[in-house]
Amino acid sequence: MPFKTAAFDKVKFVTALAGLMAFFLLDVLIQRPNRIAAGEGFELLETGYPIPAWLVLLCWIFIVVLSILPHKNIHLPISVFSLAIIALVFWSVGRFANQAALGDNPFIRVSMGSGTWVMVFSCLVLLMDCFHHSRKGMKAKTGFILIPFLFFVLLFISGHLDHLSLVKEFINRKDRFWGELIVHLQLSFGASCLSASFGIPLGIFLTRRQV
């Protein structure tokens, strides 16, 4: 995949450093005995699955190193490593929640911690920045950037994430979730139409008058 020439990239370096710090300093999971009680946080290396955790760490180290190399072909490997991190983090989180559900406490809750969100967000920023420099068409860029979302949907459909607190809430209150989503879409669509009805004529008027 052809990319434009890249030098030292501050955006990639800072973003990768944020993801690496999240790996060491933030909890990727919070386990609670029930919905109300305080929980215990777990870093990725504490989830009981060392191989995916070490692979995530290696990916972050590779991304940090690549981001400081003045080489034109860094974008594709950084994109691949970012996708790998998202896949490994979601798999580890789902696996931990599934194992916790096998215990004696039927009310146990496992939710994703700030470490998960920071690492996933950092990877998405890296992906968008990489494909900003890509010479591929918009369809190819969009298709590649949708891969992490498709992977999440696949895990959701397969049931791998069923025991996460967020998914449990969705399953238990599915009708309310869909109802709120429809209301949200209606409000967003109405606001967009209202803005367009004023903004487009005003823009045309200002353009013609050259104000």
Side-chain angles (χ1 to χ4, degrees), residues 183-195:
V183 171
H184 174 74
L185 292 176
Q186 290 174 341
L187 291 174
S188 300
F189 180 75
S192 300
C193 291
L194 185 63
S195 301

PDB file of all heavy atoms in Angstrom, residues 183-195:
ATOM      1  N   VAL A 183     -34.875   7.654  19.565  1.00  0.00           N
ATOM      2  CA  VAL A 183     -35.115   9.038  19.968  1.00  0.00           C
ATOM      3  C   VAL A 183     -33.893   9.897  19.666  1.00  0.00           C
ATOM      4  O   VAL A 183     -34.003  11.031  19.158  1.00  0.00           O
ATOM      5  CB  VAL A 183     -35.473   9.107  21.469  1.00  0.00           C
ATOM      6  CG1 VAL A 183     -35.510  10.559  21.941  1.00  0.00           C
ATOM      7  CG2 VAL A 183     -36.806   8.435  21.727  1.00  0.00           C
ATOM      8  N   HIS A 184     -32.706   9.373  19.964  1.00  0.00           N
ATOM      9  CA  HIS A 184     -31.470  10.106  19.700  1.00  0.00           C
ATOM     10  C   HIS A 184     -31.302  10.394  18.211  1.00  0.00           C
ATOM     11  O   HIS A 184     -30.943  11.521  17.816  1.00  0.00           O
ATOM     12  CB  HIS A 184     -30.273   9.299  20.211  1.00  0.00           C
ATOM     13  CG  HIS A 184     -28.949   9.902  19.859  1.00  0.00           C
ATOM     14  ND1 HIS A 184     -28.450  11.016  20.480  1.00  0.00           N
ATOM     15  CD2 HIS A 184     -28.016   9.528  18.935  1.00  0.00           C
ATOM     16  CE1 HIS A 184     -27.272  11.324  19.962  1.00  0.00           C
ATOM     17  NE2 HIS A 184     -26.988  10.441  19.020  1.00  0.00           N
ATOM     18  N   LEU A 185     -31.565   9.386  17.373  1.00  0.00           N
ATOM     19  CA  LEU A 185     -31.440   9.577  15.927  1.00  0.00           C
ATOM     20  C   LEU A 185     -32.459  10.594  15.412  1.00  0.00           C
ATOM     21  O   LEU A 185     -32.153  11.407  14.534  1.00  0.00           O
ATOM     22  CB  LEU A 185     -31.616   8.236  15.210  1.00  0.00           C
ATOM     23  CG  LEU A 185     -30.501   7.207  15.436  1.00  0.00           C
ATOM     24  CD1 LEU A 185     -30.852   5.889  14.743  1.00  0.00           C
ATOM     25  CD2 LEU A 185     -29.158   7.726  14.923  1.00  0.00           C
ATOM     26  N   GLN A 186     -33.670  10.539  15.959  1.00  0.00           N
ATOM     27  CA  GLN A 186     -34.693  11.496  15.546  1.00  0.00           C
ATOM     28  C   GLN A 186     -34.292  12.926  15.905  1.00  0.00           C
ATOM     29  O   GLN A 186     -34.436  13.856  15.091  1.00  0.00           O
ATOM     30  CB  GLN A 186     -36.030  11.146  16.201  1.00  0.00           C
ATOM     31  CG  GLN A 186     -36.668   9.877  15.652  1.00  0.00           C
ATOM     32  CD  GLN A 186     -37.910   9.470  16.426  1.00  0.00           C
ATOM     33  OE1 GLN A 186     -38.113   9.901  17.566  1.00  0.00           O
ATOM     34  NE2 GLN A 186     -38.737   8.628  15.830  1.00  0.00           N
ATOM     35  N   LEU A 187     -33.771  13.105  17.127  1.00  0.00           N
ATOM     36  CA  LEU A 187     -33.346  14.435  17.543  1.00  0.00           C
ATOM     37  C   LEU A 187     -32.169  14.923  16.696  1.00  0.00           C
ATOM     38  O   LEU A 187     -32.119  16.094  16.296  1.00  0.00           O
ATOM     39  CB  LEU A 187     -32.959  14.414  19.029  1.00  0.00           C
ATOM     40  CG  LEU A 187     -34.106  14.210  20.017  1.00  0.00           C
ATOM     41  CD1 LEU A 187     -33.571  14.054  21.432  1.00  0.00           C
ATOM     42  CD2 LEU A 187     -35.086  15.374  19.957  1.00  0.00           C
ATOM     43  N   SER A 188     -31.213  14.017  16.427  1.00  0.00           N
ATOM     44  CA  SER A 188     -30.053  14.398  15.621  1.00  0.00           C
ATOM     45  C   SER A 188     -30.470  14.758  14.201  1.00  0.00           C
ATOM     46  O   SER A 188     -29.996  15.753  13.633  1.00  0.00           O
ATOM     47  CB  SER A 188     -29.036  13.249  15.591  1.00  0.00           C
ATOM     48  OG  SER A 188     -28.594  12.934  16.893  1.00  0.00           O
ATOM     49  N   PHE A 189     -31.359  13.952  13.625  1.00  0.00           N
ATOM     50  CA  PHE A 189     -31.816  14.217  12.264  1.00  0.00           C
ATOM     51  C   PHE A 189     -32.587  15.536  12.204  1.00  0.00           C
ATOM     52  O   PHE A 189     -32.404  16.340  11.285  1.00  0.00           O
ATOM     53  CB  PHE A 189     -32.697  13.063  11.778  1.00  0.00           C
ATOM     54  CG  PHE A 189     -33.228  13.249  10.384  1.00  0.00           C
ATOM     55  CD1 PHE A 189     -32.399  13.067   9.287  1.00  0.00           C
ATOM     56  CD2 PHE A 189     -34.564  13.597  10.170  1.00  0.00           C
ATOM     57  CE1 PHE A 189     -32.886  13.252   7.998  1.00  0.00           C
ATOM     58  CE2 PHE A 189     -35.053  13.771   8.890  1.00  0.00           C
ATOM     59  CZ  PHE A 189     -34.208  13.603   7.794  1.00  0.00           C
ATOM     60  N   GLY A 190     -33.447  15.756  13.190  1.00  0.00           N
ATOM     61  CA  GLY A 190     -34.205  17.000  13.217  1.00  0.00           C
ATOM     62  C   GLY A 190     -33.299  18.211  13.355  1.00  0.00           C
ATOM     63  O   GLY A 190     -33.495  19.233  12.671  1.00  0.00           O
ATOM     64  N   ALA A 191     -32.294  18.117  14.244  1.00  0.00           N
ATOM     65  CA  ALA A 191     -31.362  19.232  14.422  1.00  0.00           C
ATOM     66  C   ALA A 191     -30.550  19.481  13.152  1.00  0.00           C
ATOM     67  O   ALA A 191     -30.294  20.634  12.784  1.00  0.00           O
ATOM     68  CB  ALA A 191     -30.427  18.944  15.593  1.00  0.00           C
ATOM     69  N   SER A 192     -30.144  18.408  12.472  1.00  0.00           N
ATOM     70  CA  SER A 192     -29.384  18.550  11.221  1.00  0.00           C
ATOM     71  C   SER A 192     -30.223  19.211  10.140  1.00  0.00           C
ATOM     72  O   SER A 192     -29.743  20.094   9.412  1.00  0.00           O
ATOM     73  CB  SER A 192     -28.891  17.179  10.745  1.00  0.00           C
ATOM     74  OG  SER A 192     -28.046  16.573  11.697  1.00  0.00           O
ATOM     75  N   CYS A 193     -31.477  18.773  10.022  1.00  0.00           N
ATOM     76  CA  CYS A 193     -32.368  19.377   9.015  1.00  0.00           C
ATOM     77  C   CYS A 193     -32.616  20.849   9.311  1.00  0.00           C
ATOM     78  O   CYS A 193     -32.619  21.689   8.403  1.00  0.00           O
ATOM     79  CB  CYS A 193     -33.692  18.620   8.977  1.00  0.00           C
ATOM     80  SG  CYS A 193     -33.563  16.951   8.308  1.00  0.00           S
ATOM     81  N   LEU A 194     -32.806  21.168  10.596  1.00  0.00           N
ATOM     82  CA  LEU A 194     -33.047  22.559  10.974  1.00  0.00           C
ATOM     83  C   LEU A 194     -31.829  23.419  10.666  1.00  0.00           C
ATOM     84  O   LEU A 194     -31.958  24.529  10.131  1.00  0.00           O
ATOM     85  CB  LEU A 194     -33.400  22.633  12.459  1.00  0.00           C
ATOM     86  CG  LEU A 194     -33.811  24.009  12.997  1.00  0.00           C
ATOM     87  CD1 LEU A 194     -35.080  24.482  12.308  1.00  0.00           C
ATOM     88  CD2 LEU A 194     -34.009  23.943  14.503  1.00  0.00           C
ATOM     89  N   SER A 195     -30.635  22.902  10.981  1.00  0.00           N
ATOM     90  CA  SER A 195     -29.405  23.650  10.707  1.00  0.00           C
ATOM     91  C   SER A 195     -29.205  23.830   9.212  1.00  0.00           C
ATOM     92  O   SER A 195     -28.813  24.915   8.750  1.00  0.00           O
ATOM     93  CB  SER A 195     -28.200  22.911  11.306  1.00  0.00           C
ATOM     94  OG  SER A 195     -28.341  22.756  12.698  1.00  0.00           O
TER      95      SER A 195
END
